[in-house]
Amino acid sequence: MNNIDIFTILPVLIIGFVVLIGLLIILRRIFVNVGPREIAIKERRYLGRRMPPGRVVATEGEVGIQADVLKPGLHFLNPFTERLFGRPVPLIEIGADEMGIVEAVDGEPNIPGRIFAPDRAQNAHNNFQDPIAFIKQGGVKGIQLRTLPPGLWPIHPYLFRVSVAKATVIPQGKVGIVTAADGAPLDAGRLLGKAIKDHLSYQNAELFVSSGGQRGPQVDILTPGTYRILTQSMPLGWWHRNETRSFLRSRLFDATVIDENQIGLVEALDGAPLNPGDYVAESIPGHDNFQDGHEFIDSRGQRGPQKDILLPGTYYINPLLFKVIPETAKEVKPGEVAVIVSNTGKDPSDEVRREMAAKVRTRMEREEKEQAAHSAAHLDQAAAEEIKEELMTGDPADRRLDEGAHEAYVVPEGYRGIQETVVGPGRYYVNTLAITPIVIPTTNQTVEWTSGEVVNTFNPFEVISKDGFTMQLEVRVVFRVKPEDAPFMVAKIGGIDRLIQNVMHPLIDSIFRNQASESSAMAYLQNRHEEQERAEARVRAHLLKYHVDVVNVLICHIHLPEELMKTQTEKILAEQRQNMFNAQREAEEKRIQLGEDQVTGRQSTRLDGRNRGRRDRRQAR
């Protein structure tokens, strides 16, 4: 009976099992359960419109892989027309320091010449979570300019390929320079792409491109921070964590650091052309120490050396737009002044030049009168007149200098040229591209013509006297440049070194040679003080033309030739012997005369005694 029961029930069990399996299969085709971190794609196989040619995913009512995504939860499928296409896939996860780069494999064709797809659908597709809206709103096929921020995203895996890339991190002390691979062409003659407003440091690539962003190196920079910019493009496959071609390429450069006691000279490599005749570009407000290249370009900043400088500090500057040259700050020490030569300002008119030349002539006339009074006080009238006549009939080059041809380049403040006002001691952060400081010592300076090794030394003068002997003179000249005279001295000769080498040395050499040729060697030696006074008067008068004040001129040593010294020594010895002989002869004559006087005195005494005896005898009688 048990056997009968088993065979009776077995068909029922088999039929029930088959029915159960069929129901499970039918339920699985009808109901799809998508996990909480998954999505699924369905396919319509029958009873629908055909997709247009070239399309990859089907929209409502079309046969093919459906654009609609089955998000987490239980979903019903029409078992006669639809089925699950493949297995559910995990949601795309974008980390906090990552970004998702999307490539659409379906949509409208891209604009000819463009590499990356514009986001025509804008926010309608809700960060690519609504594929139907992407297709319907004119989404463009290709690598998208819009990226995915951090989060979990139910992205259609067959419509969109997503590449997860690290966000761009600019560390402290660095600056990021961006190069765009897509956009409008650069303007003619420009090196950098023009600045675009509100692109959020290139994180809104669509706005950058749609607003006329240009391909190539960009004027705007990335300062330290984290940025989700499209620096990588889509690789093969639908979801990979590797990198390929980029829309924006970021390169790291060191921030510009100006150390203490330094300045930064800036040269703009792009911008409006420099005005003809200008050495440096005029200041442009608002560029924030050249850190805002956008403002610099928009304000018509000029390329070339800039008038503004960078003081000590750290600056985030675009090195493709600005070249920064560190330079030591200028220091004027006590006992010095700085003459400023300005390369900026108004060009001095002929009237300004004439006024400055007239001012110089007035000063020169006053100083010449003072010099004449000094010569009259220290020299006899003939010597003073001789020097005056010599200066009046000097060579034509000196006369041109006297006429103030060079001093006309000294200008008042605000004009281009040598500034009339000097700068006193201190440390200055100045733009040496705009101005050139020439430091002039105002304390007493010494120049020596000697065999000793000291600063500002030349070999002793070799001069020939009137009687043909060669003398060697060691001379010391002490001079100074008054602060108010420094600009005019610089205008006429340049600086102290050029003054000494090109003016003082040949001038004083000539003066001592001429004076030596007017006197015999021994007379020159004997009249050393007078010769020194005459030389000082001449040097003082000549250097007055260069706005140099002579303190004194000293003849330190006169070396006569050996043969002259030997002859002179023999002459002196002969004179001394003659004087000794004369003295001895005079002494002998005095001795003889003294003896004779003594004999005469004795005889006179005896005679006087006899006479007194006679008188006494007569009186006694």
Side-chain angles (χ1 to χ4, degrees):
M1 181 167 181
N2 290 335
N3 291 335
I4 297 174
D5 291 338
I6 291 173
F7 284 106
T8 303
I9 297 172
L10 183 59
V12 175
L13 293 175
I14 293 173
I15 293 171
F17 180 76
V18 171
V19 171
L20 178 62
I21 295 298
L23 289 173
L24 290 176
I25 293 174
I26 293 172
L27 289 175
R28 189 175 179 183
R29 292 181 60 87
I30 296 174
F31 297 100
V32 176
N33 185 31
V34 181
R37 298 175 67 90
E38 295 178 328
I39 60 172
I41 305 300
K42 62 183 179 179
E43 178 185 13
R44 186 182 183 93
R45 304 182 66 185
Y46 310 108
L47 303 177
R49 300 189 310 275
R50 297 184 61 181
M51 284 190 298
R55 287 280 299 279
V56 175
V57 294
T59 57
E60 300 169 348
E62 294 177 342
V63 175
I65 298 173
Q66 299 298 297
D68 193 15
V69 174
L70 299 181
K71 297 181 180 179
L74 185 63
H75 300 272
F76 173 80
L77 295 181
N78 186 339
F80 301 103
T81 60
E82 296 177 336
R83 71 171 182 172
L84 190 66
F85 188 79
R87 294 183 178 182
V89 295
L91 298 176
I92 293 176
E93 183 176 0
I94 309 296
D97 61 343
E98 295 177 329
M99 56 182 294
I101 301 172
V102 181
E103 179 185 11
V105 297
D106 199 352
E108 299 291 333
N110 202 352
I111 301 172
R114 291 285 297 275
I115 300 174
F116 296 85
D119 191 11
R120 290 179 181 170
Q122 296 297 320
N123 295 324
H125 56 70
N126 190 21
N127 283 328
F128 308 104
Q129 297 178 94
D130 188 344
I132 295 177
F134 179 85
I135 297 295
K136 295 292 185 181
Q137 297 296 326
V140 178
K141 184 186 303 184
I143 302 172
Q144 304 297 300
L145 290 172
R146 179 185 290 248
T147 60
L148 294 176
L152 288 171
W153 301 97
I155 304 298
H156 196 301
Y158 299 103
L159 175 58
F160 301 111
R161 297 172 181 173
V162 179
S163 174
V164 178
K166 289 291 184 180
T168 299
V169 177
I170 308 297
Q172 288 295 325
K174 298 289 185 178
V175 60
I177 305 303
V178 176
T179 301
D182 202 353
L186 289 175
D187 295 337
R190 301 303 292 271
L191 301 177
L192 303 176
K194 66 181 181 180
I196 301 298
K197 293 182 179 180
D198 303 326
H199 56 65
L200 302 178
S201 296
Y202 303 102
Q203 296 180 101
N204 191 338
E206 169 60 24
L207 186 144
F208 173 83
V209 173
S210 63
S211 298
Q214 298 172 323
R215 69 173 65 100
Q218 301 299 304
V219 66
D220 287 337
I221 62 172
L222 300 177
T223 55
T226 300
Y227 303 91
R228 293 178 177 85
I229 59 177
L230 187 57
T231 54
Q232 292 85 20
S233 68
M234 188 67 194
L236 294 176
W238 72 273
W239 183 16
H240 297 271
R241 293 178 177 267
N242 52 9
E243 303 174 0
T244 58
R245 186 181 54 185
S246 62
F247 167 64
L248 295 174
R249 183 165 56 92
S250 175
R251 289 185 293 164
L252 290 179
F253 290 85
D254 291 331
T256 300
V257 178
I258 306 300
D259 296 329
E260 187 179 1
N261 299 330
Q262 283 190 328
I263 61 170
L265 303 180
V266 181
E267 179 182 359
L269 305 178
D270 200 355
L274 194 63
N275 295 329
D278 283 350
Y279 293 95
V280 295
E282 289 297 327
S283 299
I284 298 297
H287 56 66
D288 189 22
N289 290 314
F290 303 102
Q291 297 179 105
D292 191 344
H294 180 172
E295 184 65 28
F296 180 85
I297 295 296
D298 283 356
S299 299
R300 298 285 299 168
Q302 298 172 328
R303 68 171 64 99
Q306 301 296 303
K307 185 176 182 179
D308 293 336
I309 62 173
L310 298 177
L311 299 178
T314 300
Y315 302 92
Y316 295 96
I317 293 175
N318 189 338
L320 302 184
L321 177 58
F322 299 109
K323 178 181 178 182
V324 180
I325 306 168
E327 186 169 303
T328 304
K330 301 303 178 183
E331 184 175 4
V332 181
K333 299 177 182 178
E336 297 177 337
V337 296
V339 176
I340 304 301
V341 183
S342 176
N343 297 325
T344 62
K346 298 180 292 184
D347 284 326
S349 62
D350 293 339
E351 182 179 355
V352 171
R353 294 179 185 275
R354 285 194 295 270
E355 289 177 358
M356 291 303 301
K359 185 185 295 186
V360 172
R361 283 194 296 271
T362 301
R363 291 183 58 187
M364 291 293 294
E365 290 172 359
R366 183 181 68 252
E367 292 176 357
E368 286 174 356
K369 290 179 181 179
E370 294 174 357
Q371 173 60 31
H374 182 275
S375 299
H378 291 78
L379 302 174
D380 57 45
Q381 184 176 359
E385 290 294 331
E386 178 186 351
I387 292 174
K388 182 178 179 181
E389 183 179 355
E390 175 185 329
L391 294 175
M392 292 179 64
T393 59
D395 97 350
D398 284 344
R399 285 199 298 273
R400 285 196 299 273
L401 289 172
D402 290 341
E403 292 169 359
H406 292 76
E407 288 90 337
Y409 294 104
V410 178
V411 296
E413 184 178 359
Y415 289 91
R416 184 178 303 178
I418 301 173
Q419 302 298 295
E420 184 181 12
T421 304
V422 297
V423 174
R427 179 174 294 158
Y428 299 93
Y429 297 96
V430 297
N431 187 343
T432 52
L433 298 175
I435 65 172
T436 304
I438 301 175
V439 177
I440 302 296
T442 56
T443 55
N444 287 354
Q445 304 292 303
T446 301
V447 184
E448 295 193 42
W449 288 261
T450 179
S451 55
E453 294 184 0
V454 295
V455 180
N456 293 334
T457 299
F458 298 93
N459 293 328
F461 293 126
E462 296 282 348
V463 299
I464 300 175
S465 65
K466 186 176 181 180
D467 50 0
F469 289 102
T470 300
M471 298 184 294
Q472 190 179 76
L473 306 181
E474 293 191 10
V475 176
R476 177 182 300 142
V477 175
V478 181
F479 70 96
R480 70 188 184 101
V481 178
K482 298 177 183 178
E484 60 272 20
D485 289 335
F488 301 97
M489 188 278 290
V490 169
K492 187 156 287 187
I493 191 62
I496 293 295
D497 290 340
R498 293 188 63 185
L499 173 70
I500 293 174
Q501 294 287 342
N502 299 346
V503 176
M504 295 185 66
H505 179 51
L507 172 66
I508 295 173
D509 184 14
S510 175
I511 288 174
F512 276 96
R513 288 182 185 278
N514 292 340
Q515 281 192 199
S517 66
E518 298 171 354
S519 175
S520 64
M522 289 309 302
Y524 194 90
L525 178 64
Q526 293 166 358
N527 300 326
R528 172 177 176 169
H529 179 72
E530 289 77 8
E531 294 292 343
Q532 179 176 283
E533 291 287 346
R534 290 175 59 206
E536 179 177 322
R538 281 191 167 93
V539 173
R540 187 184 300 275
H542 279 280
L543 290 184
L544 182 64
K545 303 172 185 178
Y546 298 90
H547 307 278
V548 177
D549 184 25
V550 175
V551 178
N552 55 43
V553 176
L554 303 174
I555 300 177
C556 300
H557 204 287
I558 301 175
H559 299 276
L560 296 179
E562 187 175 344
E563 61 272 19
L564 178 60
M565 293 301 296
K566 182 178 180 180
T567 302
Q568 186 66 18
T569 301
E570 292 176 352
K571 179 180 178 181
I572 292 173
L573 291 175
E575 290 178 352
Q576 290 177 348
R577 286 194 293 269
Q578 182 65 39
N579 291 338
M580 186 179 296
F581 174 76
N582 292 338
Q584 291 175 348
R585 184 176 63 183
E586 184 177 353
E588 182 64 23
E589 290 176 352
K590 289 182 178 179
R591 186 183 64 78
I592 294 172
Q593 183 65 38
L594 180 60
E596 291 177 352
D597 291 344
Q598 289 176 349
V599 171
T600 304
R602 285 195 297 270
Q603 291 176 352
S604 178
T605 301
R606 288 195 296 270
L607 181 58
D608 290 342
R610 291 174 183 170
N611 291 334
R612 283 196 301 272
R614 290 191 185 113
R615 285 197 301 270
D616 291 341
R617 285 194 296 273
R618 280 197 298 271
Q619 291 175 356
R621 292 173 183 167

